[in-house]
Amino acid sequence: MILDQLYTKCLAEATYYITSGKEAAIVDPLRETEPYLERLKNDGATLKYIFLTHFHADFVSGHVDLALKTGARIVLGPNATAAYEFHQAKDGEIFTLGDLKIKALHTPGHTMESTCYLLFTEKGEQHAIFTGDTLFIGDVGRPDLAVKSDLTTADLAGYLYESLRNKIMPLDDHIIVYPAHGAGSACGKNMSSETYDTLGSQKKLNYALDSKLSKTEFVNMTTEGLAEPPQYFPLNVAMNKAVNSTIDSILGSGTTALSPLEFQNLASQEDVLILDVRTPNDYAKGSVKNAWFIGLDGTFAPWVGALIEDIHQKIILIAPEGREAEAVTRMARVGYDNTLGYLSGGMAAWEQAGFPVEKTGNISAQEFVDGIQLGEIKNPLDVRKTPEYDTKHIEDIALLPLDDIHKKLSSLQPQSTYHVHCAGGYRSMIFSSIAKSKGYLNMVNVEGGFGAIKKTNLKSLNLVSTSTIDL
């Protein structure tokens, strides 16, 4: 038996690859198919099953493409409906994979079709359970994503309570819990950075598996303090129920090399968004006017999904050389399939062609601190999330989370200069770039963000907790 967890940090997502003999199964695959096909070829294995724990909201799966290319059967749990052919597993149904057996356990709560898959060894012993978003390490899936007119968040939380206690907690303590996500995913509240654990350990450490917890207490704990889900979540759910463009066709279009003139012609169209995916420093040194920055070396795909409101948005890229296909693939993972191409030769070619370059102000953390103390910086702005701000922030600094930029940007003054910081300099550059594209031209990014600010000579500047000063 081979059992590998294939973890994608950008999405905090785990796919699972299992083989026994010459048969293979994959649990919750990502959008791209080539890595799986290559692995199957190297192992000399045939893909028999593609197990989906549920219709994911935070990424688009490539299960339909993968099934067409391999002949594998897509397996979903009870209550699932989709536009493609799949096998609807019954609660307790057994699937054979080589010398292994996999048992479907219907665990409604996160969604009504949510199903976990229990893996048995060749000897028939319980070995591992693939829990999807039903059970995370240290947390459980949020119960507010599948709400309907006849199904409330509290209803779903109640289902989740019963699923955990009736289907998962009675299993052997030694089995390994393999969830679909880890820390950083918006599918839960307080996930651990660990990506797997034993069930016995989770019974001791995970609040949701406390045997003394009443159903009412569980419902209250899982429904309180839920942040609004990212706007692309329901769109990804719909895509996971549908037949979508193939990843091959998306890559074919998105990796089209555009000359500076071709790029300029597209950039001048109102319905095309320029997306610069290089580093914050590269963007600051010079980019195309109105280009948004969302760097590949951060949590790229989730921010694309959270901030680009139209999932069908036409996009052209400014990318590091050799990483164009990576950018297109990672956007497709969250359903942004309409990339038209990239600037061939990058900004060097753009400048050589005589097109204008727009720079963004960038100062060090010490310059930022000194500027506030001297009264030279009038509008410092913190764009982290509210919990980060409440934990520690500069006294009297205003908060405008990047997540809220489309709702609250109008609270700023277009002619004023704003010095913007986040935790490390990534989100603040995103914020500055979007603001500039909307006419707020005097944005200055603070390099290194709050992490660097804390290491400066603060002098009379105070760092305080709680007390949110909003705009």
Side-chain angles (χ1 to χ4, degrees):
M1 175 179 68
I2 296 173
L3 169 52
D4 287 342
Q5 182 186 68
L6 310 176
Y7 199 77
T8 303
K9 289 184 178 179
C10 178
L11 291 173
E13 189 274 347
T15 294
Y16 297 93
Y17 176 88
I18 314 153
T19 62
S20 177
K22 295 299 182 181
E23 293 186 333
I26 294 177
V27 182
D28 291 334
L30 289 178
R31 187 78 179 270
E32 59 270 29
T33 57
E34 193 57 36
Y36 307 128
L37 297 176
E38 187 68 25
R39 178 66 183 273
L40 290 163
K41 180 181 178 182
N42 291 340
D43 291 345
T46 298
L47 188 61
K48 187 176 182 180
Y49 297 116
I50 302 167
F51 292 106
L52 300 185
T53 55
H54 64 296
F55 295 117
H56 288 274
D58 62 316
F59 72 93
V60 178
S61 175
H63 52 284
V64 176
D65 265 5
L66 193 56
L68 288 172
K69 291 177 178 179
T70 63
R73 178 180 291 187
I74 298 170
V75 179
L76 279 155
N79 301 322
T81 58
Y84 45 83
E85 185 178 345
F86 68 93
H87 175 81
Q88 189 157 58
K90 299 179 179 64
D91 186 27
E93 185 173 352
I94 301 292
F95 298 85
T96 301
L97 186 76
D99 295 326
L100 307 175
K101 286 184 170 40
I102 298 172
K103 184 178 182 179
L105 300 176
H106 185 212
T107 52
H110 175 66
T111 67
M112 290 306 290
E113 80 281 353
S114 287
T115 298
C116 300
Y117 298 97
L118 178 63
L119 175 66
F120 293 85
T121 67
E122 296 89 340
K123 296 180 180 180
E125 299 169 341
Q126 295 180 10
H127 177 69
I129 185 166
F130 306 101
T131 55
D133 290 18
T134 294
L135 177 63
F136 297 127
I137 306 305
D139 200 3
V140 290
R142 53 192 298 170
D144 63 322
L145 301 182
V147 171
K148 298 179 181 178
S149 59
D150 60 343
L151 199 62
T152 68
T153 298
D155 292 333
L156 285 161
Y159 278 115
L160 184 56
Y161 177 86
E162 298 295 343
S163 292
L164 293 169
R165 274 139 188 82
N166 297 332
K167 297 295 180 64
I168 294 179
M169 290 176 67
L171 301 175
D172 295 343
D173 282 355
H174 72 267
I175 68 169
I176 305 169
V177 176
Y178 285 121
H181 296 291
S185 169
C187 294
K189 292 191 294 185
N190 298 296
M191 283 177 265
S192 169
S193 59
E194 300 297 325
T195 60
Y196 62 90
D197 195 8
T198 65
L199 180 58
S201 174
Q202 283 301 291
K203 286 178 181 178
K204 297 175 183 177
L205 302 174
N206 192 326
Y207 74 95
L209 301 186
D210 184 348
S211 60
K212 297 179 182 178
L213 198 65
S214 71
K215 189 172 184 177
T216 299
E217 291 171 330
F218 178 91
V219 169
N220 290 338
M221 292 178 74
T222 54
T223 57
E224 290 175 353
L226 289 170
E228 186 176 346
Q231 61 90 26
Y232 71 100
F233 269 29
L235 305 176
N236 278 194
V237 170
M239 291 183 73
N240 280 320
K241 295 180 179 181
V243 177
N244 306 300
S245 300
T246 67
I247 190 65
D248 299 325
S249 66
I250 295 166
L251 282 167
S253 171
T255 56
T256 300
L258 302 169
S259 70
L261 181 58
E262 290 171 324
F263 193 90
Q264 168 61 19
N265 288 338
L266 284 171
S268 65
Q269 298 178 18
E270 290 186 3
D271 61 343
V272 175
L273 173 68
I274 311 163
L275 187 61
D276 192 326
V277 302
R278 300 173 299 156
T279 68
N281 283 338
D282 285 338
Y283 178 84
K285 290 174 184 176
S287 191
V288 176
K289 184 179 180 181
N290 293 329
W292 287 19
F293 164 79
I294 306 179
L296 278 172
D297 292 329
T299 49
F300 173 69
W303 280 120
V304 166
L307 297 172
I308 301 178
E309 295 178 296
D310 181 4
I311 203 167
H312 304 295
Q313 174 70 56
K314 295 177 183 176
I315 296 170
I316 51 177
L317 294 171
I318 304 170
E321 185 178 359
R323 299 183 70 183
E324 299 88 2
E326 177 189 347
V328 175
T329 299
R330 289 170 66 178
M331 285 192 290
R333 286 175 180 169
V334 289
Y336 289 76
D337 296 353
N338 209 3
T339 306
L340 305 180
Y342 68 93
L343 177 60
S344 182
M347 288 304 300
W350 180 262
E351 290 188 68
Q352 289 170 7
F355 291 112
V357 173
E358 186 168 282
K359 298 183 179 181
T360 300
N362 218 13
I363 63 171
S364 71
Q366 189 62 64
E367 289 173 319
F368 175 66
V369 168
D370 292 344
I372 294 176
Q373 292 172 333
L374 293 171
E376 297 171 353
I377 290 178
K378 306 294 185 182
N379 299 301
L381 194 61
D382 190 329
V383 299
R384 295 175 297 161
K385 293 180 182 293
T386 300
E388 295 175 273
Y389 178 94
D390 288 343
T391 298
K392 191 75 70 176
H393 61 268
I394 299 169
E395 189 174 23
D396 297 330
I397 194 170
L399 172 70
L400 200 166
L402 175 58
D403 303 74
D404 297 336
I405 188 169
H406 296 307
K407 298 177 183 177
K408 297 184 178 180
L409 186 62
S410 60
S411 63
L412 304 184
Q413 300 300 316
Q415 303 308 316
S416 297
T417 298
Y418 292 90
H419 290 75
V420 186
H421 85 77
C422 60
Y426 178 79
R427 286 174 287 174
S428 53
M429 189 60 83
I430 297 174
F431 186 100
S432 297
S433 72
I434 296 174
K436 285 176 61 182
S437 75
K438 296 181 181 295
Y440 298 79
L441 302 180
N442 302 311
M443 310 302 292
V444 181
N445 182 63
V446 180
E447 294 178 318
F450 195 66
I453 290 167
K454 291 187 293 185
K455 297 176 182 178
T456 64
N457 180 5
L458 294 171
K459 299 178 183 176
S460 61
L461 204 63
N462 296 321
L463 300 183
V464 297
S465 302
T466 61
S467 181
T468 298
I469 301 173
D470 213 338
L471 287 165

